[in-house]
Amino acid sequence: MSVYYTSLDHFVLLPVLLLALFGCATLLFDFWVFPEAHQRKYLLIFLGLGEAFAGWAYWRQGAALAINGGEISAFHGAVVVDHFALFFHWIFLITTLVVGLISYRYLEVRDEHHGEYYGILMLAQCGMFFLASGNDLVTIFVGLETMAVSFYVLVGFLRAEQRSNEAALKYLLLGGLSSGFLAYGFSILYGIAGSTLLNDISKAVASRGHSDTILFLAIATTTVGLLFKIAAAPFHMWAPDVYEGAPTTITAFLAVGSKAASFALLMRVFASTLGSARSTWEPLLIAAAVLSMTIGNLAAITQTNTKRLLAYSSVNHAGYVLLGVIAGNNTGYKGVLIYLLVYTFMNLGAFLVLTSLTRKGLAGEDINDLRGLMKKSPGHALWMLIFLLSLAGIPPTAGFFGKYFIFLSLIETGHYVLAVLGCLYAAVAIYYYMRMVKAMFIETEEEETPALSTSFGTQVALVVTGVMTLVIGVYPEPFVRLAQQSFQR
Amino acid sequence: MLETGFFYAFAALTLIGAILTVTLRNAIHCAISLIGSLAGVAGLYLLQKAEFLFAVQIVLYIGGIMVLFLFVIMLVNLDAAARERQYHRHWLAAVICTVGSGALITWFLRQGSGTMHLGQSAPELPSAGNVEALSDVLFKQYLVPFELASVLLLVAVVGSVIMAKKRI
């Protein structure tokens, strides 16, 4: 315990250092290098460079893992990089890049500032890093708060718009409450183990009996905090309002990045640290999963605002991913990883199309604004069709494989009722996704509206997410292998 | 015995101060109750023999942050805020929820407190070694979260400027 900050520590922390540095650089160079308003979009270069360097660092970590196997543990076990963490780091990287690409046109349309936006985007990604890689309660909690505070700011970024302010305030208050619950659970876990390292807690939990009230209290409060972050029912109340009020690009970031990061933490905590107390947390997660699918699906049917609709659909998807954690065998965890990967591409894509609908003086968030999209912009309409089919889980799109592995794992572990429920709700979900398809393809526009706001960035992002959604659906083999490898320790 | 008495006194000060902070109407009174609450926490630190944290709590929170609070209060239009209704119609539901979950947690804690073997308590330090012990933990075991906290604070500062400024 005598040497601190070794070269190994540096190797593990390098991606975060780079992201934080480039994030700060964006804040610094904002006015300095780009004094004119129309030049501000070139700040995206900093984001691109930051992500490229971080990607290079991840790639090196991946190469080191491939040679040595197992995991790289740094800072005396506080930060761990393994295949599982790396899988999520790549998801965060892709998400941030895509969100950056679709943002600059949106910010121009909404007449908002660029510099702080990209900077905070990258700093939020720093927080996400520690959710996937943190192996110590304090590190995880500070990482979680870094991500959460960044999102409070980003959600309220449209300062001129009342809905955005309201959403930010709501998210701040409810997020603070849920963080309180999580901190309470963490403090009891610390009390049980006498250490903040997850490995020590895992040993302490394993040595305790099954009907342990204090352990139940710790697990229950931790679960409440985590379920809030992934927007699973009954802690989803914030999701529709926040998703609706936030800038559409941030809604995408929130729905994909924040959710994936929280699931990384949830899987690390429940599957490995609290793995021996499965009988305690399984009923809690089952209740949350069933409620999420029920509320998410039934509430989505009546929505007329597309962002609210996708918010409820994301509650529903959280329920499906939880089912994979509940099944808890190899197929289940593999299914969770594939689902999250697929969800990243299809959900980013869907929000991307919604972002293009926002034009000067037109919010473009009502389901009627999708009317006649096929005539107006067939490219957008066809890609959107693919994303919606994928969200509904219809082959040959990627969403099918996400659901397939989850259901398979449920059947393997004998959770037949849950599997049947999941399938039934998947059928319900088709209805409200098809409502959007109907608006795009069958209904016609009532009055003439301006052309969609696209840019080079959004087109690149659209093609990338769309192609990935199709490729994973048609040729899932390499991605399944990747997920398989990510979970084996 | 005396220590237990002090604990309850400080805990009561913390809780009552916190409750008054959210229930009082006048923002100045709220700020003063917050000082009481923070002082109670400082007392709890002292009972844990963490003299350095005690001093820091008073200097930073009660001193620095409260002055900041008062500045904000002076700059904000208070009369308009004081006239507004502070509570929603659903305050009764909120009280029931709070009391209910509080009772539930207390029950669980009472049931399980016997089985809770807290980790070995840290060896008692000579009061001179307090700061050294703290920095030892902060810069060795918790180096990463300590550094990460600077990112967190940066985001918070930048965010509050964005929110407060009309036009950047």
Side-chain angles (χ1 to χ4, degrees):
Chain A
M1 291 283 279
S2 57
V3 184
Y4 286 86
Y5 208 75
T6 58
S7 58
L8 190 68
D9 292 347
H10 182 71
F11 181 63
V12 166
L13 210 59
L14 189 61
V16 192
L17 292 177
L18 289 166
L19 285 173
L21 277 177
F22 276 94
C24 293
T26 321
L27 298 176
L28 275 179
F29 286 108
D30 189 359
F31 278 96
W32 191 5
V33 183
F34 305 109
E36 300 292 323
H38 68 91
Q39 299 173 330
R40 294 274 158 72
K41 65 181 173 203
Y42 298 119
L43 277 168
L44 206 56
I45 293 166
F46 285 97
L47 186 118
L49 279 177
E51 299 296 340
F53 279 116
W56 164 73
Y58 289 143
W59 184 78
R60 278 180 58 201
Q61 287 176 356
L65 279 177
I67 295 167
N68 301 321
E71 58 180 39
I72 309 171
S73 172
F75 296 101
H76 302 288
V79 182
V80 161
V81 170
D82 45 18
H83 284 296
F84 174 76
L86 266 183
F87 183 86
F88 279 99
H89 293 331
W90 283 113
I91 288 188
F92 304 152
L93 193 145
I94 294 165
T95 310
T96 318
L97 262 182
V98 170
V99 170
L101 275 179
I102 62 178
S103 287
Y104 69 87
R105 186 81 189 99
Y106 186 79
L107 288 174
E108 279 170 1
V109 170
R110 301 311 287 255
D111 207 10
E112 279 294 346
H113 207 68
H114 291 248
E116 289 80 7
Y117 182 93
Y118 301 131
I120 295 176
L121 219 55
M122 273 190 273
L123 296 179
Q125 202 193 345
C126 291
M128 291 179 189
F129 177 91
F130 289 99
L131 286 187
S133 265
N135 205 29
D136 167 280
L137 292 183
V138 181
T139 313
I140 290 173
F141 191 73
V142 179
L144 183 72
E145 283 305 292
T146 308
M147 182 184 87
V149 170
S150 313
F151 272 114
Y152 302 150
V153 177
L154 289 174
V155 165
F157 210 83
L158 301 177
R159 290 161 307 150
E161 195 169 319
Q162 213 166 10
R163 275 190 317 164
S164 180
N165 298 340
E166 183 193 327
L169 188 65
K170 267 186 188 157
Y171 194 33
L172 172 73
L173 291 176
L174 288 173
L177 186 70
S178 80
S179 292
F181 270 105
L182 197 64
Y184 194 74
F186 279 4
S187 73
I188 299 176
L189 284 178
Y190 171 65
I192 288 170
S195 160
T196 51
L197 288 177
L198 289 189
N199 299 346
D200 294 340
I201 293 170
S202 168
K203 283 186 206 115
V205 169
S207 68
R208 295 174 82 91
H210 281 299
S211 54
D212 197 324
T213 41
I214 205 81
L215 187 60
F216 178 75
L217 183 61
I219 289 176
T221 42
T222 311
T223 313
V224 170
L226 286 176
L227 288 183
F228 177 91
K229 296 290 176 202
I230 59 169
F235 307 103
H236 67 286
M237 313 79 68
W238 59 277
D241 289 345
V242 171
Y243 279 36
E244 187 192 342
T248 313
T249 47
I250 292 306
T251 312
F253 197 38
L254 194 64
V256 175
S258 171
K259 190 167 283 210
S262 309
F263 261 112
L265 173 60
L266 189 136
M267 280 181 75
R268 204 178 273 282
V269 168
F270 282 89
S272 57
T273 310
L274 299 174
S276 52
R278 172 170 273 276
S279 60
T280 312
W281 54 258
E282 205 177 45
L284 297 176
L285 289 196
I286 289 179
V290 172
L291 266 177
S292 301
M293 290 191 297
T294 313
I295 294 178
N297 271 317
L298 298 186
I301 291 175
T302 55
Q303 299 305 321
T304 52
N305 181 302
T306 44
K307 277 159 89 179
R308 274 185 101 81
L309 197 156
L310 285 182
Y312 280 111
S313 116
S314 105
V315 172
N316 172 30
H317 285 292
Y320 280 110
V321 183
L322 277 179
L323 286 182
V325 182
I326 291 162
N329 59 355
N330 224 338
T331 323
Y333 292 134
K334 190 168 71 181
V336 169
L337 293 182
I338 294 173
Y339 204 113
L340 286 173
L341 181 72
V342 168
Y343 182 75
T344 303
F345 289 112
M346 62 190 185
N347 217 25
L348 276 178
F351 276 111
L352 203 162
V353 176
L354 292 188
T355 309
S356 315
L357 287 173
T358 306
R359 286 149 276 179
K360 274 257 188 263
L362 180 68
E365 289 169 9
D366 198 86
I367 205 161
N368 291 339
D369 290 330
L370 281 170
R371 281 183 180 167
L373 191 67
M374 184 59 196
K375 281 221 187 68
K376 196 177 193 80
S377 171
H380 280 86
L382 287 172
W383 284 122
M384 187 67 173
L385 175 68
I386 288 166
F387 298 132
L388 289 176
L389 288 177
S390 183
L391 282 166
I394 295 170
T397 53
F400 170 72
F401 280 98
K403 286 203 171 64
Y404 168 75
F405 282 108
I406 302 260
F407 292 148
L408 185 66
S409 68
L410 283 174
I411 289 165
E412 278 176 6
T413 51
H415 293 91
Y416 300 114
V417 181
L418 286 178
V420 171
L421 258 181
C423 286
L424 286 179
Y425 279 129
V428 175
I430 294 174
Y431 168 73
Y432 55 81
Y433 291 127
M434 288 310 126
R435 263 179 71 206
M436 289 166 90
V437 174
K438 177 169 151 257
M440 287 191 304
F441 287 88
I442 298 174
E443 290 164 17
T444 49
E445 216 173 13
E446 277 161 5
E447 50 192 89
E448 202 64 19
T449 50
L452 296 190
S453 71
T454 56
S455 62
F456 180 66
T458 49
Q459 273 164 5
V460 169
L462 190 64
V463 171
V464 168
T465 50
V467 167
M468 284 306 284
T469 308
L470 281 177
V471 164
I472 301 178
V474 176
Y475 183 52
E477 208 54 34
F479 301 96
V480 174
R481 221 179 304 125
L482 179 72
Q484 176 78 35
Q485 178 205 12
S486 303
F487 204 74
Q488 275 163 356
R489 303 183 169 221
Chain B
M1 188 57 223
L2 187 65
E3 208 162 300
T4 322
F6 270 118
F7 171 76
Y8 280 113
F10 285 131
L13 182 62
T14 311
L15 282 181
I16 293 171
I19 291 171
L20 287 180
T21 308
V22 290
T23 49
L24 284 179
R25 212 165 243 268
N26 190 321
I28 307 262
H29 296 168
C30 291
I32 291 168
S33 329
L34 187 60
I35 294 188
S37 180
L38 294 172
V41 176
L44 291 177
Y45 285 143
L46 195 59
L47 281 180
Q48 298 289 316
K49 302 206 170 55
E51 290 92 353
F52 180 67
L53 271 186
F54 166 73
V56 165
Q57 172 84 6
I58 290 191
V59 172
L60 281 186
Y61 277 83
I62 303 182
I65 298 182
M66 284 319 298
V67 171
L68 196 70
F69 260 79
L70 286 176
F71 263 114
V72 171
I73 289 170
M74 277 191 274
L75 295 177
V76 171
N77 186 6
L78 275 182
D79 292 341
R83 273 198 299 276
E84 273 182 25
R85 262 180 70 85
Q86 199 167 3
Y87 290 106
H88 218 236
R89 279 171 286 119
H90 302 304
W91 64 272
L92 192 65
V95 168
I96 292 170
C97 283
T98 314
V99 172
S101 49
L104 209 62
I105 288 175
T106 318
W107 185 78
F108 270 112
L109 281 178
R110 287 197 76 83
Q111 287 284 308
S113 59
T115 63
M116 191 164 180
H117 45 91
L118 293 162
Q120 279 115 16
S121 57
E124 196 151 316
L125 296 159
S127 49
N130 218 303
V131 184
E132 283 89 334
L134 186 74
S135 53
D136 221 36
V137 175
L138 203 56
F139 292 110
K140 284 182 176 174
Q141 194 183 350
Y142 296 117
L143 179 65
V144 186
F146 178 72
E147 298 294 343
L148 185 59
S150 58
V151 176
L152 172 62
L153 291 177
L154 178 71
V155 174
V157 169
V158 172
S160 56
V161 172
I162 295 174
M163 291 289 157
K165 277 266 201 200
K166 289 239 159 43
R167 193 73 239 169
I168 304 173

